[in-house]
């Protein structure tokens, strides 16, 4: 009875916190709309301009390189000059960089602008997520993070359908993406409180992460590869495969929707059973679905979309699964400190994904997209199987909670998830 009352109380706290920051969440949704539109727009336009898969992949990887740098640089910049100045400056540069794409349609300029966009949007996310984290109490942080995750997926998914608003070959969609980014920061700046000073935390190094959780670290890297491949090159694949602009939007929208819908069923399974078995099952299933999607692409658009949605649901859950598994092997005092290393591993994978799959698409044709995704998931599935056979794991009853994470997570979002794990560990110890 006490646990039930506690659960109701935490949900009530989450709803109260969500109501208090609904305008901030609305601004984040607008931001994700603009980001989702821009990513797919650039993929379609690059294909129309004949950039080629390899070159397009390099351009798209610039976003993830910038995002990684921005998520690590922004906290120190905020401490130096203040959150409002950093927030407004980064949002302005992000908005302008989108417009530059429409003026100078060359791979070099696009690569630089894509890097700037990633750096600036990461900074905006860091500040916005820190405000949200500050509003969440210890009992409601997990639920508020779940609401934030849903908002990000809705925004990213909705942004895909804005591709239908105008011709990707013109400047109108670039202007629309820029307007959305500019509008998004208005409610954030008008309603958000100052960012709290974060205490100094000694980071957990990559060596320590790999020592305590080789599978969690490697799996996070593979999740980064998947994220970079899907969000960087998904629209490129769809357009090269002969889909119309409207069909490209539907392809990406279904993929992202699958990622949102499957997070919680997969998470529930991982809380009940050995998390390694769930990771292995999800990885092998994602690989099989990727092969099936490649097969369906040649004869049935309906089957392709259904399989793409299923693939998104499986593959985009790997990040959260590996984060949860890593925390099962860490002390509660190390969890928040581990966020920096996990973001670095995820970002490295995201940078690698687009250029590799772009090169494969040049060599194998559009099908290289799904063959690459199948390969990386078979690899992590086999590695997980090896860990299960030759190494002991954390018993299911001692595992921490699964927390769903956004696909593009900055350090503050990861820290918030780590705090949820740490709170659960402290409650269990008491």
């Amino acid at each position: 009875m006490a646990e039930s009352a506690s659960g109701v109380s935490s949900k009530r706290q989450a709803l109260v916190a969500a109501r208090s920051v609904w305008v901030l969440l609305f601004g984040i949704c607008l931001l994700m709309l603009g980001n989702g539109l821009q990513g797919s727009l650039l993929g379609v336009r690059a294909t129309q301009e004949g950039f080629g898969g390899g070159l397009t992949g390099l351009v798209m990887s610039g976003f993830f390189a910038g995002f990684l740098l921005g998520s690590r640089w922004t906290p120190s910049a905020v401490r130096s000059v203040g959150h409002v100045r950093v927030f407004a400056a980064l949002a302005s540069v992000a908005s302008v960089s989108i417009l530059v794409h429409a003026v100078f349609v060359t791979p070099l300029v696009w690569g630089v602008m894509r890097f700037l966009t990633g750096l600036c949007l990461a900074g905006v996310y860091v500040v916005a997520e820190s405000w949200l984290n500050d509003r969440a109490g210890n009992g409601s942080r997990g639920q508020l993070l779940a609401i934030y995750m849903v908002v990000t997926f809705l925004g990213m998914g909705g942004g895909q359908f804005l591709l239908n608003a105008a011709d990707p070959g013109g400047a109108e969609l670039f202007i629309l993406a820029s307007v959305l980014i500019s509008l998004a920061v208005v409610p954030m700046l008008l309603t958000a409180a100052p960012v709290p000073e974060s205490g100094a935390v000694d980071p957990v190094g990559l060596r320590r992460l790999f020592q305590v959780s080789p599978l969690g670290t490697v799996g996070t890297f593979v999740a980064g590869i998947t994220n970079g491949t899907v969000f960087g090159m998904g629209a490129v694949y769809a357009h090269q495969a002969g889909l119309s602009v409207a069909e490209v939007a539907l392809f990406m929208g279904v993929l992202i929707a699958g990622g949102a819908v499957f997070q919680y069923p997969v998470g529930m399974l991982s809380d009940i059973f050995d998390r390694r078995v769930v990771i292995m099952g999800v990885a092998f299933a994602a690989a099989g679905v990727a092969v099936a999607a490649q097969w369906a692409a040649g004869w049935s658009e309906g089957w392709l979309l259904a399989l793409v949605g299923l693939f998104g649901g499986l593959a985009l859950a790997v990040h959260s699964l590996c984060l949860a598994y890593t925390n099962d092997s860490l002390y509660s005092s190390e969890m928040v400190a581990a966020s920096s290393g996990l973001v670095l591993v995820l970002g490295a994978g995201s940078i690698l994904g687009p250029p590799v799959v772009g090169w494969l698409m040049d060599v194998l044709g559009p099908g290289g997209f799904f063959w690459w995704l199948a390969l990386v998931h078979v690899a992590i599935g086999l590695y997980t199987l090896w860990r299960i056979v030759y190494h002991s794991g954390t018993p299911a009853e001692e595992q921490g909670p699964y927390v769903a994470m956004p696909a593009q997570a900055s350090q503050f979002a990861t820290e918030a998830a780590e705090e949820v794990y740490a709170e659960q560990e402290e409650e269990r110890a008491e």
Side-chain angles (χ1 to χ4, degrees):
M1 182 69 69
E3 289 182 3
S4 176
S6 175
V8 172
S9 176
S10 65
K11 290 179 181 178
R12 187 172 299 147
Q13 291 175 24
L15 290 175
V16 171
R19 281 198 296 267
S20 71
V21 296
W22 73 267
V23 177
L24 180 58
L25 290 170
F26 176 69
I28 291 172
C29 187
L30 288 177
L31 191 69
M32 299 306 295
L33 280 169
N35 186 25
L37 169 60
Q38 186 195 14
S40 293
L41 171 60
L42 291 178
V44 171
R45 185 66 179 272
T47 302
Q48 293 178 345
E49 297 292 337
F51 283 8
L55 193 54
T56 301
L58 288 173
V59 169
M60 294 303 186
S61 69
F63 176 86
F64 300 103
F67 194 92
L68 177 58
L69 178 62
S71 66
R72 297 174 68 83
W73 165 79
T74 302
S76 62
V78 166
R79 287 191 290 269
S80 298
V81 299
H83 69 284
V84 173
R85 290 191 180 97
V86 171
F87 191 76
L90 292 179
S92 298
V93 174
S95 182
V96 170
S97 67
I98 295 172
L99 297 176
V100 173
H101 288 86
V103 179
F104 302 100
V105 187
T106 65
L108 178 60
V109 172
W110 277 26
V112 174
M113 291 302 105
R114 200 72 182 124
F115 175 83
L116 281 177
T117 302
L119 187 149
C120 293
L121 289 185
V124 172
Y125 291 162
V126 163
V127 177
E129 288 166 1
S130 66
W131 278 326
L132 285 174
N133 197 27
D134 185 48
R135 296 293 182 91
N138 287 345
S140 64
R141 183 170 284 109
Q143 289 87 348
L144 191 57
L145 185 61
I147 294 171
Y148 170 69
M149 194 272 306
V150 170
V151 168
T152 61
F153 273 104
L154 284 175
M156 283 289 290
Q160 310 306 313
F161 296 98
L162 293 177
L163 276 173
N164 300 308
D167 178 13
E172 293 85 354
L173 290 179
F174 290 99
I175 295 172
L176 176 58
S178 176
V179 168
L180 287 170
I181 298 295
S182 298
L183 287 177
V185 302
V186 175
M188 296 182 187
L189 287 173
L190 291 179
T191 64
V195 178
E197 287 289 337
S198 57
V201 177
D202 293 329
V204 174
L206 294 180
R207 178 178 296 180
R208 168 65 177 160
L209 277 177
F210 189 79
Q211 286 175 342
V212 299
S213 182
L215 174 58
T217 307
V218 173
T220 300
F221 181 73
V222 170
I225 291 175
T226 300
N227 291 348
T229 299
V230 166
F231 293 109
M233 298 295 287
V236 176
Y237 159 79
H239 205 51
Q240 286 189 6
L243 300 185
S244 66
V245 172
E247 290 167 340
V248 171
L250 186 58
F251 176 92
M252 291 299 297
V254 166
L255 193 154
I256 294 169
V261 170
F262 276 73
Q263 286 269 352
Y264 292 102
V266 170
M268 289 175 61
L269 288 175
S270 78
D271 284 342
I272 297 172
F273 301 104
D274 184 338
R275 197 160 271 146
R276 298 176 302 169
V277 173
V278 177
I279 293 173
M280 181 184 67
V282 165
F284 282 140
V289 172
V291 173
Q294 169 57 24
W295 171 68
W299 64 275
S300 172
E301 181 184 334
W303 274 105
L304 172 63
L305 291 175
L307 290 167
V308 161
L310 180 57
F311 175 81
L314 295 167
L316 296 182
V318 171
H319 175 208
S320 299
L321 286 171
C322 291
L323 180 65
Y325 182 74
T326 301
N327 282 294
D328 291 337
S329 304
L330 291 170
Y331 296 110
S332 59
S333 60
E334 294 179 306
M335 289 178 181
V336 174
S339 62
S340 177
L342 291 169
V343 168
L344 179 62
V345 172
L346 184 75
S350 299
I351 295 168
L352 176 66
V356 173
V357 76
W359 174 77
L360 285 174
M361 290 167 68
D362 282 341
V363 174
L364 303 176
F369 177 79
F370 279 122
W371 289 122
W372 167 244
L373 289 171
L375 176 64
V376 296
H377 283 92
V378 165
I380 190 60
L382 291 174
Y383 182 66
T384 307
L385 177 61
W386 179 75
R387 295 291 307 178
I388 291 173
V389 171
Y390 292 102
H391 298 83
S392 60
T394 303
E397 61 273 13
E398 297 180 13
Q399 293 177 160
Y402 173 95
V403 178
M405 287 290 293
Q408 295 175 343
S410 77
Q411 186 167 334
F412 265 99
T414 309
E415 283 182 4
E418 302 288 34
E419 288 171 5
V420 174
Y421 290 115
E423 290 164 9
Q424 293 283 341
E425 287 295 316
E426 290 173 1
E427 291 175 5
R428 183 180 296 172
E430 293 174 358

